[in-house]
Amino acid sequence: MIILKNVSSITGEVFDYEIASDETHIIDAKGLTLLPGLIDPHVHFRTPGHQYKENWISASKAALFGGFTTVFDMPNTNPATVTCQRLKEKKELIESQLKESGFPLRYHLYFGVDKKHFDEIEKVKKHTIALKIFMGTSTGDLLMDDDSSLHAAFALASAHDLLVCVHAEDEAMIEENTKKYLGSKDFKTHSMIRTPEVARSAAKQAIDLAQLYNTRLHILHVSSKEEIDCIREAKKKGIQVTCETTPHHLFLNTDSYETLKGQAQVNPSLKEKQHQKYLFEAIKDGVIDTIGSDHAPHTKEEKAQEYGETPSGMPGVETTLPLLLTAASENKLNIDDIVRLCSTRIQEIYRLAPNDDVILVDLEMKKTVDDSHLNTKCGWSPYSGTQLKGWPVYAVMKGVLYNLREGAIC
Ligand code: DOR
Ligand code: ZN
């Protein structure tokens, strides 16, 4: 049994909380707030193929120390997760890495939709959390931007009652805009190519397909007012659409290129400052359903290259919760919102059963993000040097207590 003495609920009530366990621990939790073990529904842990950037040994510790006891991993690995066999092989690799890490994270895997492998969808339907469609190019070689394939994929997903998660950026528009800025070495160009309109156009197409085929659609990493308006309207019409945003779209913007340069390059791109306000408002009014870190590590060296050479993506699984708790301390959102965005709404959308995992957060703890303290293998964060207020200090995952302050298993 694990007993958390004098722990606080989100609403401030103080009580003792017991968790079934083979271990015996009595923790003085005075001043700490109890939250569910959080779910990160959007990570790229790079296994197989890019394990020099990240693997599940480093990433499982990074996730747990970030307050997440469950993650959903993306299929744009090398090779990509586009067949039943590859899904099985990926699971075996992950299992062995989790054994080695000592942090047995709960996880689920996305299945990448690829027009050459439509017949695999039926085979994996019991083994995948959702389908992922890249409507625009990003890291890896997964892309499905032709109309007939998109129609077929949405129809199939509906027939098998699978959730479709989309990376919504319009590839034709990206190509067109890329031509305009050919040869530019300025990182700001990235946001001029991948504009709000690029994101809106693909989101609208996905919504139309969801309506046509009655498919459950979740639009990932929504970054702009344009997408929000489109999704709000679709929800009003009763179309089965939900959406996610990310910490970097909430907390960074196009000004960030000045200081972060290539580290700020991400797909969908960072948007102008005014979009951040819309995203916070859309959290408040319930248009945004979930938050995913979109933890997409690349090495410091890769990100230090010139624009055009740098890969898109940034790590985030360790900083998501402290960023959100800091925003809560500034009254930009409530702790309730964090639980909804990072746990309960994810369970509803992805149809995931709840579990007993919990975390304890110290809402008063201030700590500066420091590359040397990070667990991610890539060893950097766009927030390094930023002081954040509110950090997870304990986690109970699968009945085992972890002391996150000491970086140790209890
Ligand atoms: O910036 C991104 N990086 N966006 C994606 O869609 C993929 C990700 C990655 O895997 O690096
Ligand atoms: Zn992603």
Side-chain angles (χ1 to χ4, degrees):
M1 178 84 78
I2 298 170
I3 305 171
L4 309 173
K5 295 288 265 185
N6 297 313
V7 71
S8 298
S9 72
I10 297 172
T11 47
E13 292 133 278
V14 176
F15 59 105
D16 293 346
Y17 189 76
E18 294 180 356
I19 305 162
S21 170
D22 297 340
E23 305 177 349
T24 307
H25 295 285
I26 301 174
I27 298 291
D28 175 10
K30 193 160 174 279
L32 302 180
T33 302
L34 185 69
L35 302 184
L38 301 182
I39 304 168
D40 188 342
H42 191 154
V43 300
H44 301 262
F45 282 176
R46 305 297 191 212
T47 300
H50 297 117
Q51 299 190 55
Y52 67 95
K53 299 177 199 253
E54 190 78 282
N55 62 25
W56 287 70
I57 301 170
S58 45
S60 57
K61 188 170 181 193
L64 187 64
F65 281 62
F68 295 99
T69 60
T70 305
V71 299
F72 304 166
D73 189 60
M74 286 294 169
N76 59 330
T77 44
N78 186 16
T81 319
V82 294
T83 66
C84 190
Q85 180 61 23
R86 286 193 189 159
L87 192 78
K88 199 170 150 256
E89 285 164 8
K90 181 171 176 177
K91 270 194 177 149
E92 283 165 8
L93 273 172
I94 293 171
E95 290 298 328
S96 85
Q97 293 186 2
L98 286 180
K99 259 195 203 120
E100 199 177 326
S101 83
F103 301 103
L105 216 56
R106 298 177 197 269
Y107 69 93
H108 295 275
L109 302 180
Y110 285 91
F111 186 72
V113 182
D114 170 40
K115 60 182 163 194
K116 289 191 222 95
H117 296 104
F118 279 149
D119 52 336
E120 297 280 327
I121 290 177
E122 183 166 15
K123 293 191 220 161
V124 296
K125 73 176 180 188
K126 296 256 177 325
H127 310 289
T128 187
I129 190 78
L131 302 178
K132 169 79 185 272
I133 297 179
F134 282 87
M135 298 173 77
T137 41
S138 198
T139 306
D141 54 10
L142 282 175
L143 173 67
M144 212 173 62
D145 61 340
D146 64 289
D147 286 356
S148 68
S149 302
L150 285 169
H151 275 264
F154 273 72
L156 264 171
S158 175
H160 295 296
D161 195 20
L162 281 162
L163 177 70
V164 170
C165 294
V166 290
H167 178 122
E169 288 190 293
D170 184 314
E171 185 59 20
M173 290 174 77
I174 293 172
E175 280 173 22
E176 200 52 43
N177 290 344
T178 304
K179 282 187 214 145
K180 286 191 220 161
Y181 299 103
L182 224 52
S184 168
K185 296 288 172 234
D186 185 349
F187 284 101
K188 278 196 184 124
T189 313
H190 196 64
S191 295
M192 289 147 77
I193 293 172
R194 295 179 182 250
T195 60
E197 189 47 33
V198 164
R200 192 207 62 84
S201 168
K204 176 77 175 65
Q205 187 183 13
I207 288 168
D208 289 347
L209 289 165
Q211 183 176 25
L212 186 62
Y213 294 105
N214 204 22
T215 315
R216 289 184 293 127
L217 170 66
H218 191 52
I219 302 183
L220 300 170
H221 37 46
V222 162
S223 59
S224 65
K225 172 186 185 297
E226 282 76 351
E227 291 157 277
I228 296 292
D229 288 347
C230 198
I231 294 164
R232 181 181 287 113
E233 202 166 302
K235 283 187 169 190
K236 271 193 202 139
K237 283 193 206 150
I239 300 170
Q240 300 190 75
V241 58
T242 51
C243 73
E244 168 196 88
T245 193
T246 72
H248 42 276
H249 293 112
L250 286 169
F251 298 104
L252 302 176
N253 58 52
T254 47
D255 297 343
S256 310
Y257 291 119
E258 297 290 338
T259 48
L260 295 174
K261 311 222 164 33
Q263 292 188 353
Q265 184 190 318
V266 65
N267 298 332
S269 68
L270 298 180
K271 302 297 186 290
E272 303 270 333
K273 210 178 197 149
Q274 66 269 22
H275 292 272
Q276 291 173 274
K277 194 171 130 259
Y278 273 94
L279 296 181
F280 275 104
E281 281 170 12
I283 285 178
K284 279 283 151 213
D285 65 22
V287 175
I288 291 179
D289 298 273
T290 66
I291 285 183
S293 72
D294 199 358
H295 179 82
H298 299 285
T299 65
K300 275 185 188 169
E301 294 71 28
E302 287 171 328
K303 293 295 267 181
Q305 298 174 97
E306 285 190 330
Y307 183 58
E309 303 297 321
T310 35
S312 296
M314 55 176 74
V317 75
E318 285 169 276
T319 44
T320 297
L321 178 58
L323 283 165
L324 294 174
L325 291 173
T326 303
S329 78
E330 294 162 352
N331 295 320
K332 290 186 184 152
L333 40 76
N334 300 326
I335 310 281
D336 266 1
D337 296 323
I338 299 177
V339 172
R340 173 172 59 83
L341 293 157
C342 301
S343 174
T344 41
R345 195 74 186 108
I346 299 174
Q347 288 168 1
E348 287 166 12
I349 292 167
Y350 290 82
R351 297 181 175 168
L352 200 66
N355 59 50
D356 291 340
D357 295 348
V358 296
I359 57 169
L360 294 180
V361 296
D362 182 345
L363 298 176
E364 299 304 318
M365 182 190 262
K366 291 181 182 165
K367 213 164 69 177
T368 299
V369 180
D370 182 335
D371 285 358
S372 66
H373 296 156
L374 295 169
N375 294 293
T376 173
K377 200 168 179 177
C378 76
W380 63 275
S381 161
Y383 310 102
S384 277
T386 307
Q387 190 186 69
L388 300 176
K389 184 179 172 193
W391 289 81
V393 290
Y394 285 101
V396 180
M397 177 171 70
K398 299 180 181 170
V400 176
L401 180 70
Y402 298 86
N403 184 340
L404 310 178
R405 269 184 296 218
E406 288 161 19
I409 305 177
C410 296

